[in-house]
Amino acid sequence: MRLEDLLPSPEPVRFVAADGTGTASHGACPRPADDRLVEGYRRMVLGRRFDTQATALTRQGRLAVYPSSRGQEACQIGAVLALRDDDWLFPTYRDSVALVARGLDPAEVLTLLRGDWHCGYDPVATRVAPQCTPLATQTIHAVGLAEALRRNGTDGVVLALIGDGGTSEGDFHEALNFAAVRRAPVVFLIQNNGYAISVPLARQSAAPALAYKGIGYGIGSEQVDGNDLVAVLAVLDAAVAHARSGHGPYLVEAHTYRMEAHTNADDATRYRDDDEVTRWAAADPLARLRTYLSDRGLIDDEAVRTAEAGAEAFAARVRTALNADVPADPRTLFDHVYAEPTAQLEEQRAQLVAELDAREA
Amino acid sequence: MRLEDLLPSPEPVRFVAADGTGTASHGACPRPADDRLVEGYRRMVLGRRFDTQATALTRQGRLAVYPSSRGQEACQIGAVLALRDDDWLFPTYRDSVALVARGLDPAEVLTLLRGDWHCGYDPVATRVAPQCTPLATQTIHAVGLAEALRRNGTDGVVLALIGDGGTSEGDFHEALNFAAVRRAPVVFLIQNNGYAISVPLARQSAAPALAYKGIGYGIGSEQVDGNDLVAVLAVLDAAVAHARSGHGPYLVEAHTYRMEAHTNADDATRYRDDDEVTRWAAADPLARLRTYLSDRGLIDDEAVRTAEAGAEAFAARVRTALNADVPADPRTLFDHVYAEPTAQLEEQRAQLVAELDAREA
Amino acid sequence: MSTATGPGELSLAQALNAALRDAMGDDDRVLVFGEDVGALGGVFRITDGLTAKFGEERCFDTPLAEAGIVGLAVGLAMGGLRPVVEMQFDAFAYPAFEQIASHVAKLRNRTRGALPMPMVIRVPFAGGIGGVEHHCDSSEAYYAHTPGLKVVTPATVEDAYWLLRDAIADPDPVVFLEPKRLYWSRERVDLTTRSAGPMGRAAVRRAGTDATLAAYGPTVPLALQAAEAAAADGISLEVVDLRTIVPFDDETLMRSVRRTGRCVVVQEAQGFAGVAAEIAARVQERCFHSLAAPVLRVTGFDIPYPPPKLEHAHLPTVDRILDAVDRLQFDDEPDLRHTGMAA
Amino acid sequence: MSTATGPGELSLAQALNAALRDAMGDDDRVLVFGEDVGALGGVFRITDGLTAKFGEERCFDTPLAEAGIVGLAVGLAMGGLRPVVEMQFDAFAYPAFEQIASHVAKLRNRTRGALPMPMVIRVPFAGGIGGVEHHCDSSEAYYAHTPGLKVVTPATVEDAYWLLRDAIADPDPVVFLEPKRLYWSRERVDLTTRSAGPMGRAAVRRAGTDATLAAYGPTVPLALQAAEAAAADGISLEVVDLRTIVPFDDETLMRSVRRTGRCVVVQEAQGFAGVAAEIAARVQERCFHSLAAPVLRVTGFDIPYPPPKLEHAHLPTVDRILDAVDRLQFDDEPDLRHTGMAA
Ligand SMILES: Cc1ncc(C[n+]2csc(CCOP(=O)(O)OP(=O)(O)O)c2C)c(N)n1
Ligand SMILES: Cc1ncc(C[n+]2csc(CCOP(=O)(O)OP(=O)(O)O)c2C)c(N)n1
Ligand SMILES: [Mg+2]
Ligand SMILES: [Mg+2]
C-alpha cells in the first residue's frame, strides 16, 4: 500500500450532515445502495427501541446491568450491514444492539446481563464471538479467527469492535500488528464515543485521531462520522471489500457519542456536562438518517410507522422473554469447565448435589 | 504538533555515507559539534574493543552469555553522548557498550552476564536502569521515571532503548501512549538491527518504517541511519532537546545491523546469509566515522592510535576484572527480597546457613 | 462486624477513602492513579474527592492499560515517589501480571536494595456482589506465590483504614486486596486508635477452644457467623483473621491450632493450589501431633467464577463451614463435602 | 533414567520434536507457532525441522508478543484449528497471562461448550541451567490454580513424547511444562509403545515401603536419586511422578501414602502457595490417620530465582530430600530444615 493510503482522510468521511442534508465530504467510498440504507433505518429504529427496553429492564430488576449504546446505532447497524452471514463479528459488552440487529435472539443476547450465564448464544451458529468484557482482548482473537477463515478456504471476513478506551491496551497493538504481518482478513472498527467510563478521549490519546494508528502497522485506515449511517456503511463496505479481496486488515475510527451513562449503574454527571450531551443530541444518527431518507423519498410516514411498530413488537418480545424466570441450575456449573469433568469436579458436583438435595428434602 | 512533524522523514536521516563521505540528506537537524564527534569516535573504538573482549570471555567461560552489539556502536554511543549526566538511560541486555561508554564500571556491567547477580551497578548513582531482559517492559518504566524527574522539578530527560522485536510487545504501545498523554520527557530509541533473534523485520512489522508508529500517539518521530554516528547524534540531540523543553516524548528509529549472532550461544547461519552480513560490513559505523573525521582533519593517525591504545588498556582492565573470581555468597540470597527479611525468610536463611556450615565443617 | 447504620459509623469503602486522603495529606510523594479514579472517584468511589482535594498532579486518570499503569508506577517509584494504583477489578489486573511478577516483585532484589518498590496495588477483590464474568475473581494466590510482594486483605472497617495506611508506608510493594462485598459494611470506629496489630500480624477475632477457623478478607465475617452459630450448639470456635497473607503470621495461627487441635481454612477462591492449601500444609507441618483431625478447607469450587445467578452455590457459606467443623473426624474417610476439595 | 548415550537413544528434546512432527503429520489442523520456532527451530530446537517439513503455513514465526501469540491461538482454535504455541521461557509467558486466565481457561465454560479451546501452550520450565534472571522461573502454580487449564509436565523421554501427543490430542487447553534441565537427558526408548499411563495418571517410578516421595518434572530424577541413596541406607522410598498436575491423580498418590504412612513433596518452585502446598494439603486431608508424620515439603526458597552462580543453593538437592526423609519425625518441633518452608 502507498503511504497516502495508510493515512486516514484529514476529516471524518461524512455523507449526511447533522441536519440530515447531504454533504460534499465523501472520501473515496461510493454511497451504499438505497435499499440497504432503508434496511439500515429499520434496524436502527429496532436497535434504539431495544436499547431503551433493556435500560427499562434494569430498573425493573430483570437485568443486572446494561451498557446502553444509545447514540451509537449508526456504528452498530453499519457494522452488521457491512457483513455477510458467513462473516464473523467480535463485539464488546456495549454491542448488544449490533447483535439483535444481526438477528440474534434478544433473550440469548441478554443472558449475560441477566446473570444466567456468561454467554447465551451459540457463537459458532451465529458467527458472533461472545461479547467481550476484558478490553481489547477480543481484537487478537478476531485476527486468529480471520486467519482460520482464510485457512479454511473461505473468503469470510471478521469485523472486530472496540472502544476508544480499549485502544490503549497492549492487546490492541498486538492485534493490529499480527493482522498486518499475517495479512488477516479483519476489519477493526473503533467506536470512539468520547469516553471510557469517565475518562475523556483527551486523556486516552494524544493522537490527531485514533485512525492515525494504522500507518504504524502498515494498515490502511479511515475515519468516519460515526453518527452517519451512510458514511459508516460506505467506509465499512470498502474496508470489508479490502479485507475480503486478500489485501489484509483495515482500521476504521467512527466518531460518535455515548448518550447515556456508561451503564445504568454509572453516574455520568460526575464527569460530563449536560451541555455536551445536548450538543450531541443534535447529531442524533437516527433522526439524521430519517430526514435524509425521507428528503430523498426513500421512506415515507408509513414506512416510519411500520419500522416503529416492528420495533414495538420486538420490544414486547424482549419484555416477555425477560420477564419469564429462567431457572439457573447450579448443578451445571461443572459441566463445561473441561470437555469431561475431572475426578475432582465430579466429586465437587456430588457434594453440591447432596447439599441441594438435603436442602430440598 | 503539526501532522507533518509527527511523521518521520521519508528516508533515514544521514550525514555520512557508508564510504565516509558527507551526504546531502540531513533532515532538519544541525550537525553536532566536532569535539563531540571526536569524543564519539573514541568511545566507539572503546565500545567495540569491549564488545570483542566480552565475546572472547564467553569462550573462556568467564561469562555465561554475551549479546554482542557489534555494528550498533553508533546507536549505543550516540545515545550516551546525547544525554547529560543527570539524565537517565534505560538499556536492554544488548546495550552493555552504551553502559561502559557512559562510564560504568565494566565489571559491574558484566555482573549480570557473569552470573554473579542480576544487576551489578547502582542504578541511582549511575542513572542507568538495570539492563532489561523482559522485552519492552522498560519503556514504560522510563515514562514513569521521566515523570518523576519532572515532578522533582528537574529538566532531566530519559532515553529508553528498545529493539525492533521489542516494538511488537503491548508494553511498548502502552509506553508510547502514556508518554504522549502525560507529556513525559522521554525519548524512545529503537535500534532496528533487522532481527529479533532469528526473526527478520519483515515478520515483525508491515509498517513502512517503525518510526511511523509515532503519529498514532501524537508523538514526533524520526528515522536515522543507525550506522552513522553523526546522524544518530544529530537526531537524538533534537529529540532530547524536544523532550527537555517540555514538549513531550519523541520517537527515533535507527536502522542498523547486528553483525554477530544474537548471543554467543546462537547460530545465525540458521536464519541469515553470509552475503547479508558482508553487505552490512561495508556500512560499518566505526570505519565510516573514522574516514569522515580524518577526511575533515578532525582526527589523525595519532588520534586513532591513542583511541585504540585506550581501548586496549580498557580491555585489559576488563580481562583482569573478569578473571578474578568473585565469591558469590548464597547467604545473601535473602537480603533484598524485602526491605527486612520476613520471619519465613529468616528461617530459610538459617536453614541454608546450617547446611553450608555443616558442609564446611 | 456490625451492619447497622448510624452516626459515627463508617463503611469499609469510606475507611479506605479516608486512608488514601490521610496518606496523601501526610506525604507529598503519595500519588493515586488508575482508571476512573479522578472525577468519578473510582467505580467503587474509593478515591472519591481526592482529585478535588489534592489536584490532578496527585490523583489522576490514566489511559486504559493496566500494564502501563503498573509500569508507570515502577518508574515513579524508581524516581522516589510512592504510587498507589487501582486495578478496576481482579481480572483486570491480569494484563499487568508481567509487570508485577517480573518487576514490581523483583526490582529491589535485582538491584540489591538500590531500587526499592514502595507501591500499593489496590485490587477490588473476590465476589458476592452479583458481578458478571471477570468482575469477581479471587487472585490472591497468584500474588502470594510471587516472592517480593506483600499481600494484605482487610476484613474490618478499622483494618481497611490502618492496613492501607501501613501498606502505603511500607518500603515494599503491597498487593492490597479489598473484599468487594464488604465495601458497604459499616462499623462504628475511631480511626485515631487501632485495636489490631500492624500489617504482618494476624488477629484472633473470637476466642474459642474446640477448633480454629482461619479466614481472610471476605470470609472473615462468614467465619464469625459460623462461630456464633456453633456456639449455640455448644461448640467453641476460634476465629483467626490472617489480615496479611504475605508475610504470613505463623505464630498466631499455630498457637491457636496447637490449643484447639483442629483447623478449618476458609477461602473464597477456587481451592486447588490456593492460599488455603498453603495454610493447611503449614498447619499440619507445624502442629501435626496436636491435630486430632486433618486440616480441612472450605473453598470455592475449581471452576471459573459463576454468573450472578449461580454465585450463591459457589461461595463458601456458614453451613459449609459448620459442616466441615462437624467433619473434623477421626478416620481417613475422604469426607470432604462442601469444601470444594475432594478425592 | 539413563544418562548414558548410545545408538537408539533419544534426548527429551528430540522426543518433544518427534511428538510435534508426528502430531502435525497425523492432523492437518495442528499448527505450531511462536517466537523463533521457524528457521531457528526454537532456542531449544524443539521445533527443529518442522517448517522445512510442513511449510510456513504449519510452523511459523510470529511477531514478538506473547499475548498476541496466545490470543491468535484462541482465534484459531475458535476456527477449528489446533494451535501449539511456544513461550520462549517461563517468565516470558507472563505477558500472556490475561489471555490464558481470562480466555484460554474460560472460553469453553463461557459458551457452554460451543467454543472449546484445544491448544497446547508449551513452556520451557524451571531452572538448573545457569540461565540469567527471567529464564528459570517455575510458574506451574499460576496455571494449576486457574480452573479450565490442564497442566502437564514430563520427566522422562518417553513421557515427553506421549504426554505431548496426548496434550495436542486433548480437547482442552494444556499448559505443557518442559523441564529445561532435562532437555538433554537421554534414554533408550521405543516410542511406538508406552509404558506409563495416559495424561491424567501419575506413575510410580520406584516402589518403596517407608515413605513416598511425590515429585513432578525436574524433581523426579532427583527423587529417584534420593531413593537410590536411601536404599543404600536401608530406607525404602517410593517415588511417585505426578506427570499431570491438573487434573490431579489422587488415587495413585493416596494409595502410596496410605501404605507408606509418610510423604515428602519435592518441587523446584518457591514454596509458598505452590503446588507442593496443594499436594501436602490433599495428602493430609485424605490420609491423615495413615500418616505417622507431617507431610513435608522440599522446595525452592521464597525468593526470586537466583543468578546462575547461586542457583545451586536454591534448588532442591538429593541431600535436602534425604534430610526431609530423616525428619519425618514424631513430634511437633518445626524441624523443617532445607525445605524452603518453616516457622
Ligand atoms: C482489561 C480491562 N480493564 C478494565 C476494564 C473495566 N472497564 C470496563 S468498560 C471500561 C471503559 C471502556 O471504554 P471504551 O473502550 O471507550 O468502551 P465504551 O465503554 O466507551 O464502549 C473499563 C475501564 C475492563 N473491562 N477490562
Ligand atoms: C517478553 C519477552 N519475550 C521473549 C524474550 C526472549 N528474547 C530475548 S531477546 C529476543 C529478541 C529481541 O529482539 P529485538 O527486540 O529486536 O532486540 P535485539 O536482540 O535485536 O537487540 C527474544 C525473543 C524476552 N526476553 N522477553
Ligand atoms: Mg468509549
Ligand atoms: Mg533486533
Side-chain angles (χ1 to χ4, degrees):
Chain A
M1 228 180 288
R2 294 166 317 153
L3 221 58
E4 307 84 79
D5 298 331
L6 296 171
L7 288 172
S9 310
E11 294 299 323
V13 174
R14 180 178 296 129
F15 280 74
V16 183
D19 63 3
T21 56
T23 75
S25 131
H26 298 178
C29 313
R31 200 178 77 102
D34 290 344
D35 57 335
R36 293 175 75 218
L37 299 178
V38 171
E39 176 59 17
Y41 171 72
R42 193 189 66 77
R43 294 202 209 181
M44 279 175 69
V45 172
L46 183 117
R48 171 147 316 171
R49 186 63 190 84
F50 169 81
D51 195 82
T52 325
Q53 182 59 65
T55 297
L57 286 164
T58 63
R59 284 194 291 270
Q60 294 147 30
R62 306 302 309 188
L63 287 181
V65 63
Y66 180 72
S68 167
S69 61
R70 187 181 174 91
Q72 301 180 214
E73 291 90 348
C75 301
Q76 307 249 329
I77 280 35
V80 166
L81 290 180
L83 294 182
R84 293 193 320 222
D85 264 8
D86 62 338
D87 294 330
W88 275 71
L89 183 68
F90 277 68
T92 76
Y93 51 88
R94 194 171 304 288
D95 302 310
S96 299
V97 163
L99 270 55
V100 299
R102 190 169 160 100
L104 271 67
D105 179 335
E108 291 185 359
V109 170
L110 293 173
T111 297
L112 166 72
L113 302 171
R114 168 144 77 161
D116 297 329
W117 197 258
H118 312 297
C119 178
Y121 53 87
D122 180 337
V124 178
T126 57
R127 286 157 312 280
V128 177
Q131 287 185 271
C132 195
T133 299
L135 294 163
T137 55
Q138 77 282 6
T139 55
I140 179 72
H141 305 166
V143 177
L145 199 281
E147 176 157 341
L149 292 179
R150 182 180 60 64
R151 285 173 182 271
N152 294 341
T154 81
D155 68 346
V157 163
V158 177
L159 195 153
L161 298 170
I162 184 168
D164 47 310
T167 66
S168 293
E169 292 279 4
D171 277 20
F172 180 57
H173 166 79
E174 300 188 11
L176 290 175
N177 195 41
F178 273 67
V181 169
R182 304 197 60 74
R183 288 179 84 85
V186 57
V187 173
F188 301 97
L189 173 60
I190 305 169
Q191 291 181 71
N192 172 0
N193 62 7
Y195 287 88
I197 309 187
S198 68
V199 181
L201 186 69
R203 280 159 198 259
Q204 203 64 250
S205 173
L210 297 172
Y212 283 88
K213 291 190 183 293
I215 190 170
Y217 306 90
I219 296 183
S221 323
E222 189 50 283
Q223 55 179 332
V224 61
D225 180 336
N227 284 18
D228 173 3
L229 177 79
V230 187
V232 172
L233 188 51
V235 168
L236 286 182
D237 277 348
V240 167
H242 174 91
R244 200 182 306 284
S245 58
H247 294 104
Y250 207 87
L251 174 67
V252 178
E253 178 189 14
H255 299 270
T256 183
Y257 193 76
R258 188 194 77 207
M259 295 300 291
E260 301 287 333
H262 174 68
T263 68
N264 55 297
D266 176 41
D267 174 8
T269 63
R270 285 188 164 240
Y271 53 82
R272 68 183 190 189
D273 295 341
D274 283 351
D275 282 7
E276 187 182 280
V277 182
T278 312
R279 272 199 310 282
W280 275 94
D284 182 58
L286 187 48
R288 185 190 305 199
L289 183 63
R290 190 175 47 228
T291 306
Y292 180 80
L293 293 179
S294 54
D295 282 0
R296 270 157 197 72
L298 294 168
I299 53 169
D300 55 14
D301 288 358
E302 177 61 25
V304 170
R305 268 194 304 276
T306 310
E308 283 169 358
E312 270 317 320
F314 187 74
R317 229 181 97 201
V318 172
R319 276 196 305 277
T320 310
L322 271 284
N323 283 326
D325 277 309
V326 184
D329 184 357
R331 292 167 186 84
T332 63
L333 281 173
F334 307 88
D335 291 354
H336 300 294
V337 183
Y338 299 97
E340 301 288 335
T342 61
Q344 286 75 27
L345 287 179
E346 287 292 12
E347 288 150 4
Q348 292 174 26
R349 168 160 43 198
Q351 293 158 7
L352 178 65
V353 168
E355 192 181 299
L356 295 171
D357 290 352
R359 200 177 300 161
E360 280 157 24
Chain B
M1 227 181 290
R2 293 167 318 153
L3 220 59
E4 309 83 79
D5 297 331
L6 296 171
L7 288 172
S9 309
E11 293 298 322
V13 173
R14 179 179 296 131
F15 280 75
V16 183
D19 63 3
T21 56
T23 74
S25 133
H26 296 179
C29 314
R31 201 177 75 101
D34 289 344
D35 57 336
R36 293 175 75 220
L37 299 178
V38 171
E39 177 58 17
Y41 171 72
R42 194 189 66 75
R43 295 202 208 179
M44 279 174 71
V45 171
L46 183 116
R48 170 150 314 173
R49 186 64 189 84
F50 168 82
D51 194 83
T52 327
Q53 183 59 64
T55 297
L57 286 164
T58 62
R59 286 193 290 270
Q60 294 146 30
R62 306 302 309 187
L63 286 180
V65 64
Y66 180 73
S68 166
S69 61
R70 187 181 174 91
Q72 301 180 213
E73 292 91 349
C75 301
Q76 308 249 328
I77 277 47
V80 166
L81 290 179
L83 295 182
R84 293 193 321 221
D85 264 7
D86 62 338
D87 294 330
W88 275 71
L89 183 68
F90 277 68
T92 76
Y93 51 87
R94 193 169 307 286
D95 301 311
S96 299
V97 163
L99 270 55
V100 299
R102 190 168 160 101
L104 272 65
D105 179 334
E108 291 185 357
V109 170
L110 294 174
T111 297
L112 167 72
L113 302 171
R114 167 145 78 160
D116 297 331
W117 197 258
H118 313 297
C119 177
Y121 52 88
D122 180 336
V124 178
T126 56
R127 286 158 310 282
V128 178
Q131 288 186 270
C132 194
T133 299
L135 294 163
T137 56
Q138 77 282 6
T139 56
I140 179 73
H141 305 165
V143 177
L145 200 281
E147 176 157 340
L149 293 178
R150 181 179 61 64
R151 284 173 182 271
N152 294 342
T154 80
D155 68 346
V157 163
V158 176
L159 196 154
L161 298 170
I162 185 169
D164 47 310
T167 66
S168 294
E169 292 279 5
D171 277 20
F172 180 58
H173 165 79
E174 300 188 11
L176 290 175
N177 195 41
F178 273 66
V181 169
R182 304 197 61 74
R183 287 181 83 84
V186 56
V187 173
F188 302 97
L189 174 59
I190 305 169
Q191 291 181 71
N192 173 1
N193 63 7
Y195 288 89
I197 309 187
S198 69
V199 181
L201 186 68
R203 278 156 201 263
Q204 204 62 251
S205 173
L210 297 172
Y212 283 88
K213 291 190 183 294
I215 190 171
Y217 307 90
I219 297 183
S221 325
E222 189 51 284
Q223 56 178 330
V224 61
D225 181 335
N227 284 18
D228 173 3
L229 177 79
V230 187
V232 171
L233 188 51
V235 167
L236 286 181
D237 277 347
V240 166
H242 174 93
R244 199 181 306 285
S245 57
H247 295 104
Y250 207 88
L251 174 68
V252 178
E253 177 189 14
H255 299 270
T256 182
Y257 194 76
R258 188 195 78 207
M259 296 299 291
E260 301 287 333
H262 174 68
T263 69
N264 54 298
D266 176 41
D267 174 7
T269 62
R270 284 188 165 241
Y271 54 82
R272 68 184 190 188
D273 294 341
D274 283 351
D275 281 7
E276 187 182 281
V277 182
T278 312
R279 275 199 307 283
W280 275 94
D284 183 58
L286 188 48
R288 184 190 307 198
L289 182 64
R290 190 175 46 232
T291 306
Y292 179 80
L293 292 179
S294 54
D295 282 1
R296 270 157 197 72
L298 294 168
I299 53 170
D300 56 14
D301 289 357
E302 178 60 25
V304 170
R305 268 194 304 277
T306 310
E308 283 169 358
E312 270 316 320
F314 187 74
R317 229 182 97 202
V318 171
R319 277 195 304 277
T320 310
L322 272 283
N323 283 327
D325 277 309
V326 183
D329 184 356
R331 291 167 187 83
T332 63
L333 282 172
F334 308 89
D335 290 354
H336 300 294
V337 183
Y338 299 97
E340 302 288 335
T342 61
Q344 285 76 27
L345 287 179
E346 287 293 11
E347 287 151 5
Q348 292 173 25
R349 172 165 37 205
Q351 293 158 6
L352 178 65
V353 168
E355 191 182 302
L356 295 171
D357 289 353
R359 200 179 299 162
E360 279 156 24
Chain C
M1 182 171 311
S2 159
T3 54
T5 61
E9 284 188 341
L10 222 56
S11 71
L12 192 140
Q14 288 168 328
L16 293 168
N17 180 258
L20 292 173
R21 200 175 332 103
D22 292 351
M24 291 175 82
D26 285 359
D27 185 346
D28 279 355
R29 297 170 305 170
V30 176
L31 307 178
V32 171
F33 54 94
E35 296 157 9
D36 303 291
V37 298
L40 189 65
V43 292
F44 291 108
R45 303 294 185 269
I46 308 301
T47 59
D48 197 23
L50 298 180
T51 299
K53 184 169 171 69
F54 297 101
E56 301 246 345
E57 277 285 292
R58 300 287 306 286
C59 175
F60 53 92
D61 291 328
T62 63
L64 210 170
E66 294 78 9
I69 292 168
V70 173
L72 187 79
V74 168
L76 286 163
M78 289 172 72
L81 292 138
R82 294 190 156 252
V84 180
V85 302
E86 176 172 306
M87 303 277 101
Q88 205 161 80
F89 287 86
D90 285 83
F92 306 145
Y94 300 159
F97 191 72
E98 180 191 31
Q99 285 288 347
I100 296 173
S102 288
H103 292 303
V104 174
K106 299 193 173 85
L107 263 163
R108 173 191 285 276
N109 185 67
R110 181 173 307 149
T111 60
R112 290 191 264 223
L115 291 180
M117 282 288 118
M119 75 166 72
V120 179
I121 301 175
R122 294 182 37 244
V123 185
F125 167 51
I129 59 159
V132 296
E133 205 191 355
H134 307 290
H135 289 77
C136 288
D137 282 20
S138 287
S139 47
E140 72 274 22
Y142 299 133
Y143 304 118
H145 186 57
T146 305
L149 301 178
K150 293 179 176 171
V151 183
V152 173
T153 181
T156 71
V157 173
E158 188 191 297
D159 264 0
Y161 180 84
W162 283 111
L163 289 177
L164 185 50
R165 294 296 310 260
D166 286 353
I168 295 171
D170 202 85
D172 292 310
V174 178
V175 177
F176 192 86
L177 302 167
E178 304 172 358
K180 286 183 215 70
R181 61 162 135 166
L182 301 185
Y183 271 145
W184 303 277
S185 71
R186 303 179 73 83
E187 270 177 77
R188 186 180 300 268
V189 280
D190 173 5
L191 293 182
T192 59
T193 60
R194 62 193 304 182
S195 55
M199 196 180 114
R201 305 297 305 174
V204 177
R205 294 286 178 205
R206 178 188 176 112
T209 53
D210 295 333
T212 301
L213 301 182
Y216 56 88
T219 57
V220 172
L222 220 59
L224 287 169
Q225 288 166 43
E228 192 70 37
D233 287 347
I235 303 173
S236 166
L237 298 180
E238 180 146 310
V239 176
V240 177
D241 173 0
L242 298 174
R243 301 172 77 240
T244 307
I245 300 173
V246 179
F248 194 83
D249 180 359
D250 282 305
E251 206 182 309
T252 303
L253 181 61
M254 301 311 155
R255 199 189 306 123
S256 172
V257 178
R258 289 206 186 102
R259 210 161 24 72
T260 61
R262 288 179 168 81
C263 181
V264 174
V265 191
V266 192
Q267 145 194 307
E268 186 175 313
Q270 61 275 14
F272 198 88
V275 167
E278 175 62 37
I279 299 171
R282 297 181 90 72
V283 168
Q284 64 87 35
E285 278 164 355
R286 285 158 190 74
C287 308
F288 185 72
H289 292 282
S290 308
L291 283 175
V295 182
L296 294 187
R297 292 179 275 171
V298 177
T299 73
F301 297 119
D302 287 314
I303 60 174
Y305 197 86
K309 285 203 186 154
L310 293 175
E311 66 178 357
H312 66 90
H314 174 67
L315 294 169
T317 58
V318 169
D319 280 352
R320 286 183 194 165
I321 299 172
L322 293 174
D323 280 357
V325 170
D326 279 352
R327 283 185 208 88
L328 290 171
Q329 34 73 48
F330 297 82
D331 60 44
D332 268 2
E333 275 310 290
D335 185 5
L336 302 159
R337 268 175 285 158
H338 316 303
T339 63
M341 279 291 113
Chain D
M1 180 171 313
S2 159
T3 53
T5 59
E9 283 189 342
L10 223 55
S11 72
L12 192 139
Q14 288 168 326
L16 293 168
N17 179 258
L20 291 173
R21 200 176 332 103
D22 292 351
M24 291 175 84
D26 285 359
D27 185 348
D28 278 355
R29 297 169 306 170
V30 176
L31 307 178
V32 171
F33 54 94
E35 295 157 9
D36 303 291
V37 298
L40 189 65
V43 293
F44 291 107
R45 302 293 185 269
I46 309 301
T47 59
D48 196 24
L50 299 181
T51 300
K53 184 168 172 68
F54 297 101
E56 301 247 345
E57 277 284 292
R58 300 287 306 286
C59 175
F60 54 91
D61 292 328
T62 64
L64 210 169
E66 294 78 8
I69 292 168
V70 173
L72 187 78
V74 168
L76 286 163
M78 289 172 72
L81 292 138
R82 295 192 155 251
V84 180
V85 302
E86 175 170 306
M87 303 278 100
Q88 206 160 79
F89 288 87
D90 284 85
F92 306 145
Y94 300 159
F97 191 72
E98 181 193 30
Q99 285 288 348
I100 296 173
S102 288
H103 292 303
V104 174
K106 297 192 174 84
L107 263 163
R108 173 191 285 278
N109 186 67
R110 180 173 307 149
T111 60
R112 290 192 263 223
L115 291 179
M117 282 287 119
M119 76 166 71
V120 179
I121 300 175
R122 293 182 38 243
V123 185
F125 166 52
I129 59 159
V132 296
E133 205 191 354
H134 307 291
H135 290 77
C136 289
D137 283 19
S138 287
S139 47
E140 72 274 22
Y142 300 132
Y143 304 117
H145 186 56
T146 305
L149 301 177
K150 292 179 175 172
V151 183
V152 173
T153 181
T156 71
V157 173
E158 187 190 298
D159 265 358
Y161 180 85
W162 283 111
L163 289 178
L164 185 50
R165 293 296 310 260
D166 286 352
I168 296 171
D170 202 85
D172 293 310
V174 178
V175 177
F176 192 85
L177 302 167
E178 304 172 357
K180 287 183 213 73
R181 60 162 136 166
L182 302 185
Y183 272 145
W184 305 277
S185 71
R186 303 179 72 84
E187 270 177 77
R188 186 180 302 267
V189 280
D190 172 5
L191 293 182
T192 59
T193 60
R194 63 193 303 183
S195 56
M199 196 181 115
R201 305 296 307 174
V204 177
R205 294 286 180 207
R206 179 186 174 112
T209 52
D210 294 333
T212 302
L213 301 181
Y216 55 88
T219 58
V220 172
L222 219 61
L224 287 169
Q225 288 166 43
E228 191 71 37
D233 286 348
I235 302 174
S236 166
L237 298 180
E238 180 145 309
V239 176
V240 177
D241 173 0
L242 299 174
R243 303 171 76 240
T244 305
I245 299 172
V246 179
F248 194 83
D249 181 0
D250 282 304
E251 204 183 312
T252 304
L253 181 61
M254 300 312 155
R255 199 190 305 126
S256 172
V257 178
R258 290 208 184 98
R259 210 160 26 71
T260 62
R262 288 178 167 82
C263 181
V264 174
V265 190
V266 192
Q267 145 194 306
E268 186 175 312
Q270 61 276 13
F272 197 88
V275 167
E278 175 62 36
I279 299 171
R282 297 180 90 72
V283 168
Q284 64 88 35
E285 278 164 355
R286 284 158 190 73
C287 309
F288 185 72
H289 292 283
S290 308
L291 284 174
V295 182
L296 294 186
R297 291 179 277 171
V298 178
T299 73
F301 297 119
D302 287 314
I303 60 174
Y305 197 87
K309 285 204 186 154
L310 292 175
E311 65 178 358
H312 65 89
H314 173 68
L315 294 169
T317 59
V318 169
D319 280 351
R320 287 185 192 164
I321 298 172
L322 293 174
D323 281 357
V325 170
D326 279 353
R327 282 186 209 87
L328 290 171
Q329 34 75 48
F330 297 83
D331 60 45
D332 268 1
E333 276 308 292
D335 186 4
L336 304 159
R337 268 175 284 159
H338 315 303
T339 63
M341 279 291 113

